[in-house]
């Protein structure tokens, strides 16, 4: 049977699938980010705050900046998948796009194995690509000049997942066309993994809060502590914790810190400290007039300078 994305792409063309992916992506991003942002930032408690990597809360102006950059990034991020879906028969020299839609009989055992294999390929390739591209963004000056815009959000919120420069975001979506060049890939599966799994884990990484039950010291997964540390101290010539899901590549290439200041290692914060922390009123983000203001957040690091509180 035909897949949703391919059907739209086939009957209505590139622009229609691009707009569809953008709208679906925007709704998904706002829902996922808001579900985490509301309890942790709008209604923080002392019990949750002790898990926050940076004790301070970003200003509403900075969160607005994140949402604006994220929306711009999304418009660019959906170009590559829209191209891959509407041009499944294009050849690039010896390579040909092999994206397809439809899954046939969902109870077919061989089909389940095929989808499981494709899921493994998508995650494995994307994980290495993300580490390598991210590492290069901190190694070469011309790439840092692009990537540093994401590091302007040194104390990120869940809305900062793809708050990138447009060229940075375009390059990060290249796996969506590179993977179908390598092997046949279900495009609904590919886009679903990137939208839900990758963005969903990205929300956790940018949440600014460690999660009980997922220690920063466990040997497999990168946690929000690692990614907050990356935002706070990584700069040109200083690639620290540039991996996404797993620690494998950071451990292999020694892009990690020996010193740890996660919730298990730092002194426990007190209720008095929590009461003293400024808790912004984020309800202004719901006011249309607030979005019309042209403001530069006081904590916005335009030059990407290292800053850690």
């Amino acid at each position: 049977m035909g897949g949703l994305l391919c059907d739209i792409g086939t009957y209505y063309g590139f622009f229609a699938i691009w707009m569809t992916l953008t709208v679906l992506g925007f709704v998904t991003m706002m829902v996922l980010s808001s579900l985490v942002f509301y309890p942790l930032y709008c209604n923080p408690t002392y019990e949750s705050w002790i898990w926050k990597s940076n004790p301070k809360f970003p200003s509403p102006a900075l969160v607005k900046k994140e949402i604006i950059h994220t929306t711009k990034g999304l418009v660019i991020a959906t170009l590559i998948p829209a191209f891959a879906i509407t041009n499944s028969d294009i050849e690039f020299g010896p390579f040909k796009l092999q994206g397809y839609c439809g899954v046939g009989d969902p109870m077919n055992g061989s089909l389940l194995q095929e989808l499981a294999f494709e899921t493994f390929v998508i995650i494995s390739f994307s994980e290495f690509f993300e580490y390598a591209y991210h590492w290069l963004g901190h190694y070469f000056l011309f790439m840092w000049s692009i990537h540093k815009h994401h590091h302007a959000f040194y104390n990120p919120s869940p809305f900062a997942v793809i708050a990138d420069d447009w060229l940075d975001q375009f390059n990060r979506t290249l796996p969506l066309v590179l993977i179908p060049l390598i092997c046949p890939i279900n495009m609904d599966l590919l886009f679903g993994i990137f939208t839900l799994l990758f963005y969903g884990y990205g929300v956790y990484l940018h949440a600014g809060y460690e999660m009980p039950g997922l220690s920063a010291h466990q040997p497999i997964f990168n946690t929000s502590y690692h990614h907050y540390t990356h935002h706070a101290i990584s700069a040109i010539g200083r690639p620290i914790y540039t991996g996404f899901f797993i620690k494998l590549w950071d451990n292999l290439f020694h892009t990690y810190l020996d010193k740890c200041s996660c919730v298990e290692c730092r002194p426990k914060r007190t209720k008095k400290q929590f009461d003293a922390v400024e808790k912004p009123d984020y309800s202004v983000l719901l006011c249309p007039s607030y979005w019309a203001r042209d403001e530069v957040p006081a904590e916005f690091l335009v030059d990407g300078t290292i800053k850690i509180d």
Side-chain angles (χ1 to χ4, degrees), residues 118-126 179 185 189-190 193-194:
E118 290 182 16
T119 300
F120 174 78
V121 170
I122 293 168
I123 294 176
S124 300
F125 182 91
S126 302
I179 294 175
I185 288 290
L189 176 67
L190 178 61
I193 288 176
F194 264 77

Side-chain angles (χ1 to χ4, degrees), residues 35-229:
L35 286 174
V36 175
F37 183 83
Y38 182 77
L40 297 181
Y41 287 80
C42 299
N43 291 292
T45 63
Y46 168 66
E47 289 74 21
S48 65
W49 175 76
I50 60 176
W51 294 88
K52 194 175 187 304
S53 296
N54 189 320
K56 298 180 181 179
F57 290 91
S59 68
L62 191 66
V63 177
K64 181 177 80 170
K65 198 82 171 178
E66 289 177 339
I67 295 173
I68 292 173
H69 277 239
T70 289
T71 303
K72 291 179 179 177
L74 173 65
V75 173
I76 300 302
T78 50
L79 283 172
I80 289 291
F83 172 83
I85 290 170
T86 55
N87 296 277
S88 59
D89 58 347
I90 283 186
E91 297 184 8
F92 298 91
F95 300 100
K96 180 179 179 180
L97 286 176
Q98 303 174 70
Y100 70 93
C101 290
V103 295
D105 180 4
M107 300 306 293
N108 187 303
S110 61
L111 171 64
L112 295 178
Q113 293 177 3
E114 178 182 330
L115 293 179
F117 173 74
E118 290 182 16
T119 300
F120 174 78
V121 170
I122 293 168
I123 294 176
S124 300
F125 182 91
S126 302
E127 176 71 20
F128 177 74
F129 182 92
E130 170 63 18
Y131 175 84
Y133 178 78
H134 204 171
W135 184 89
L136 291 171
H138 287 271
Y139 188 80
F140 292 106
L141 182 59
F142 78 94
M143 293 188 68
W144 170 248
S145 68
I146 300 169
H147 182 59
K148 71 178 182 181
H149 294 281
H150 187 60
H151 281 260
F153 308 104
Y154 75 95
N155 183 17
S157 86
F159 289 106
V161 182
I162 61 170
D164 299 307
D165 178 83
W166 72 268
L167 185 56
D168 213 11
Q169 190 55 42
F170 180 85
N171 290 333
R172 287 176 182 275
T173 61
L174 286 176
L176 288 161
V177 73
L178 294 177
I179 294 175
L181 285 174
I182 297 172
C183 63
I185 288 290
N186 183 288
M187 297 306 294
D188 289 326
L189 176 67
L190 178 61
F191 188 75
I193 288 176
F194 264 77
T195 302
L196 297 176
L197 184 59
F198 288 166
Y199 189 84
Y201 201 74
V203 167
Y204 159 65
L205 291 181
H206 291 82
Y209 284 74
E210 295 185 60
M211 185 169 65
L214 188 60
S215 168
H217 295 282
Q218 47 75 33
I220 300 175
F221 298 105
N222 281 315
T223 69
S224 61
Y225 161 75
H226 300 112
H227 201 70
Y228 162 72
T229 303

